[in-house]
């Protein structure tokens, strides 16, 4: 089944404890992206990647890192999480690099709480 | 800072009613507009990708129009059903950044039987 998977789906952690949220797609998509969803703010883009080893900042990249060593995987890394990173996170992918003309497929979401 | 606004914020209609909502975006340097449907506890799902002024797209009872010159898109739902209850999101691509999506905050639609 064609899909975007994220792990974990739920995570409660403490301030400063490094964590990684994994994202994987099995559709051979070029473009991958991370978003966070906060009440009243809509989906905000954190980072995106147009290909292996090509990543760029979205609107809210502070406090996050990403890597794209393989086409299918795009992990989101929080080196030192803080409570303001408590949010619902979505990974998404698109077939083509030009996401403007291509639909995105979203993962199931990861609800992160940082105490 | 590019601003994408959706109105209304929420909408309650009766089953069978037709409804529409608006997405407003910057009219300059437009590349594309996406519409997504997001049901509670699920992931957003793509409805339409719109790129040309005057575009009209249709998927079942849902349709969308695009006016890039004035910077708005309408989403219409004909004969709303309870299963249409969801948040409808639009995302703008433009302003010189062709690979970044700017999402609106969505319109929450509740359809009562």
């Amino acid at each position: 089944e064609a899909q975007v998977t994220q792990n974990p789906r739920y995570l409660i952690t403490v301030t400063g404890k490094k964590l990684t949220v994994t994202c994987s797609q099995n559709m051979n998509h070029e473009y991958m992206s991370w978003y966070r969803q906060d009440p009243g703010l809509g989906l905000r883009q954190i980072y995106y990647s147009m290909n292996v080893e090509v990543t760029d900042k979205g609107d809210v990249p502070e406090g996050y890192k990403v890597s794209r060593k393989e086409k299918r995987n795009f992990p989101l890394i929080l080196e030192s999480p803080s409570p303001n990173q408590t949010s619902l996170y979505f990974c998404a992918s698109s077939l083509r690099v030009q996401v403007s003309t291509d639909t995105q497929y979203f993962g199931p979401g990861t609800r992160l709480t940082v105490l | 800072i590019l601003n994408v606004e959706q109105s209304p914020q929420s909408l309650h209609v009766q089953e069978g009613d037709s409804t529409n909502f608006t997405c407003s975006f910057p009219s300059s340097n437009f590349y594309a507009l996406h519409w997504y449907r997001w049901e509670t506890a699920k992931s957003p799902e793509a409805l339409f990708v719109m790129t040309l002024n005057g575009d009209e797209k249709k998927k079942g009872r849902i349709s969308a129009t695009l006016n890039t010159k004035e910077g708005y898109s309408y989403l219409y739902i004909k004969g709303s059903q309870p299963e249409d209850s969801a948040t409808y999101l639009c995302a703008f691509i433009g302003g010189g950044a062709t690979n970044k999506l700017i999402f609106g905050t969505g319109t929450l639609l509740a359809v009562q039987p």
Side-chain angles (χ1 to χ4, degrees), chain A residues 31 50 97 100 102 104 107, chain B residues 32 34 36 43 99-102:
Chain A
Y31 181 98
M50 292 186 284
V97 171
S100 58
D102 204 2
Q104 286 193 106
Chain B
H34 292 197
Y36 292 86
S43 309
N99 284 306
K100 288 174 64 172
L101 282 78
I102 310 293

Side-chain angles (χ1 to χ4, degrees), chain A residues 9 31 35 37 40-43 45 48 50 57-59 88 90 97-104 106-109, chain B residues 31-34 36 38 41-51 89 93 98-105:
Chain A
R9 295 288 312 280
Y31 181 98
Y35 298 90
Q37 163 68 30
L41 292 178
L43 283 165
Q45 196 167 29
Y48 63 94
M50 292 186 284
K57 295 177 181 178
D59 286 325
L88 176 60
F90 284 103
V97 171
Q98 283 298 326
V99 71
S100 58
T101 56
D102 204 2
T103 54
Q104 286 193 106
F106 282 82
Chain B
Y31 283 107
L33 189 86
H34 292 197
Y36 292 86
W38 187 10
K42 293 188 178 180
S43 309
E45 289 183 353
L47 285 172
F48 305 116
V49 174
M50 309 182 82
T51 56
L89 301 168
I93 300 112
T98 59
N99 284 306
K100 288 174 64 172
L101 282 78
I102 310 293
F103 279 84
T105 53

Side-chain angles (χ1 to χ4, degrees), chain A residues 62-80:
Chain A
E62 295 78 20
Y64 304 95
K65 285 174 59 177
V66 292
S67 69
R68 188 99 181 266
K69 292 186 170 58
E70 304 166 282
K71 196 172 185 179
R72 63 184 293 128
N73 296 322
F74 190 45
L76 180 70
I77 303 156
L78 285 72
E79 294 270 3
S80 183

Side-chain angles (χ1 to χ4, degrees), chain A:
Chain A
E1 182 189 352
Q3 58 183 350
V4 179
T5 56
Q6 293 179 230
N7 281 293
R9 295 288 312 280
Y10 303 90
L11 179 60
I12 300 174
T13 189
V14 295
T15 298
K17 187 177 180 181
K18 182 180 178 180
L19 66 92
T20 299
V21 183
T22 64
C23 173
S24 184
Q25 49 89 6
N26 61 1
M27 297 171 280
N28 202 35
H29 283 181
E30 300 285 344
Y31 181 98
M32 297 185 75
S33 183
W34 276 102
Y35 298 90
R36 60 178 288 174
Q37 163 68 30
D38 301 292
L41 292 178
L43 283 165
R44 292 182 293 167
Q45 196 167 29
I46 303 170
Y47 270 96
Y48 63 94
S49 169
M50 292 186 284
N51 212 328
V52 173
E53 303 292 2
V54 180
T55 63
D56 209 347
K57 295 177 181 178
D59 286 325
V60 288
E62 295 78 20
Y64 304 95
K65 285 174 59 177
V66 292
S67 69
R68 188 99 181 266
K69 292 186 170 58
E70 304 166 282
K71 196 172 185 179
R72 63 184 293 128
N73 296 322
F74 190 45
L76 180 70
I77 303 156
L78 285 72
E79 294 270 3
S80 183
S82 61
N84 65 13
Q85 292 178 297
T86 292
S87 189
L88 176 60
Y89 291 87
F90 284 103
C91 180
S93 70
S94 295
L95 177 62
R96 293 185 292 264
V97 171
Q98 283 298 326
V99 71
S100 58
T101 56
D102 204 2
T103 54
Q104 286 193 106
Y105 294 82
F106 282 82
T110 294
R111 188 163 291 282
L112 172 65
T113 301
V114 184
L115 302 174

Side-chain angles (χ1 to χ4, degrees), chain B residues 19-71:
Chain B
T19 186
N20 67 85
F21 7 102
T22 306
C23 174
S24 301
F25 51 84
S27 56
S28 59
N29 293 323
F30 173 88
Y31 283 107
L33 189 86
H34 292 197
W35 279 101
Y36 292 86
R37 180 172 176 273
W38 187 10
E39 286 181 74
T40 303
K42 293 188 178 180
S43 309
E45 289 183 353
L47 285 172
F48 305 116
V49 174
M50 309 182 82
T51 56
L52 298 174
N53 184 45
D55 248 358
E56 289 189 29
K57 301 265 183 171
K58 189 173 181 182
K59 190 174 185 178
R61 292 178 292 98
I62 305 176
S63 60
T65 60
L66 179 67
N67 184 325
T68 61
K69 295 187 188 307
E70 296 182 43

